[in-house]
Amino acid sequence: MKPKRVLVKFSGEALAGSSGFGIEPEVIKYIAGEIKSLAIAGVETGIVIGGGNIIRGVSASQGGIIKRTSGDHMGMLATVINAIALKEALEHFGLNVRVQSAIKMEAICETFIMGRAIRHLQKGRAVIFAAGTGNPFFTTDTAATLRAVEIEADMIIKATKVNGVYDKDPNKFEGAKLLSTLSYDDALRDDIKVMDDTSIALAKDNKLPIVVCNMFEPGNLAKIIVDGDLSGCSIVK
Ligand code: UDP
């Protein structure tokens, strides 16, 4: 059955494309095109985008000058930069979009208000949730799961560069098998790398299914979400 409302999470790293840093216009255009197909199908779409293409708190604080908390603030601001870029790209495709930030910056975008976000979604606007949870020591995976639970999304889609969760590292082991379904406990026990433990635990507590899929396969998001065809990806539930 086609879900009514979803939350799609992209990592910031994906935006960098081949250059490895910043925002590659072709990539953001591609992502916007994939999201557009959901909007056309009438799926209410929330989006969280990471900031790893610009800066992460952990790496910023490695030199011993920048405190981890400050580094995390920088990382959260990086997600706002990406959110603004994605908003522009989505608007280019004719979508109505709002950015809501967990950290107040009213000259740039709305502040996150759950009820208002839901109203936007009901009116057919895509909502990009920026600035993570607004707190250091978290990731945008956790922010995405939190927002998904708050807006009562039917599922969270972790759109990555791999097809899903494998029984062993496919980069290291030939014959690694893609797992079509695994439980939250399996995911936590096996320490899967595609989602962090905090986000999986939050999803488990709220029975929120996590779909892990390849974002670089054109049409994959629509195939999974609109057509309900989960072949070639993994679901944690
Ligand atoms: N971050 C944070 N709190 C949050 C979400 C993110 O402090 O709730 C910071 C953290 O430093 C993180 C950075 O923002 O490294 C960028 O987010 P993330 O690493 O999740 O981005 P992604 O890997 O998805 O690109």
Side-chain angles (χ1 to χ4, degrees), residues 9-13 50-53 55-57 71-72 75-76 79 132-141 143:
K9 159 77 204 300
F10 297 96
S11 86
E13 232 170 37
N53 55 323
I55 199 152
R56 287 198 174 93
D72 282 341
M76 286 187 275
T79 72
T133 62
N135 298 291
F137 301 105
F138 287 98
T139 65
T140 49
D141 280 352

Side-chain angles (χ1 to χ4, degrees), residues 17-222:
S18 52
S19 65
F21 180 80
I23 299 169
E24 184 90 53
E26 280 310 308
V27 179
I28 202 136
K29 201 169 144 199
Y30 166 77
I31 292 176
E34 293 293 292
I35 292 170
K36 184 190 169 193
S37 59
L38 307 182
I40 288 173
V43 179
E44 296 178 14
T45 309
I47 303 153
V48 166
I49 187 144
N53 55 323
I54 300 172
I55 199 152
R56 287 198 174 93
V58 172
S59 31
S61 59
Q62 258 160 15
I65 302 292
I66 298 168
K67 285 200 294 287
R68 168 68 192 269
T69 44
S70 298
D72 282 341
H73 290 156
M74 294 158 71
M76 286 187 275
L77 293 177
T79 72
V80 180
I81 295 174
N82 287 335
I84 294 167
L86 184 59
K87 174 180 187 280
E88 292 291 318
L90 289 168
E91 284 177 346
H92 175 81
F93 280 108
L95 264 67
N96 279 318
V97 192
R98 295 290 185 274
V99 176
Q100 288 205 342
S101 168
I103 298 168
K104 188 171 172 180
M105 44 183 90
E106 61 191 14
I108 294 177
C109 59
E110 292 179 10
T111 303
F112 172 67
I113 298 175
M114 189 190 71
R116 186 181 276 188
I118 290 171
R119 290 282 294 144
H120 287 320
L121 292 165
Q122 287 168 338
K123 287 182 176 172
R125 297 170 187 147
V127 182
I128 307 173
F129 299 104
T133 62
N135 298 291
F137 301 105
F138 287 98
T139 65
T140 49
D141 280 352
T142 301
T145 310
L146 176 64
R147 294 296 181 244
V149 172
E150 287 177 291
I151 63 168
E152 298 179 353
D154 298 310
M155 61 176 78
I156 178 168
I157 317 291
K158 172 76 195 260
T160 71
K161 53 187 181 205
V162 294
N163 288 340
V165 183
Y166 287 81
D167 61 346
K168 42 189 178 266
D169 187 345
N171 296 316
K172 289 191 194 146
F173 299 96
E174 228 177 277
K177 271 208 305 269
L178 182 73
L179 304 171
S180 56
T181 308
L182 61 165
S183 69
Y184 300 110
D185 289 334
D186 290 339
L188 289 168
R189 189 196 54 234
D190 297 346
D191 193 22
I192 61 166
K193 295 285 177 257
V194 280
M195 286 289 268
D196 64 64
D197 287 359
T198 311
S199 58
I200 296 169
L202 186 59
K204 179 187 174 191
D205 282 351
N206 293 282
K207 300 184 175 58
L208 174 75
I210 306 168
V211 175
V212 182
C213 70
N214 191 335
M215 61 179 277
F216 289 113
E217 219 174 275
N220 210 22
L221 279 189

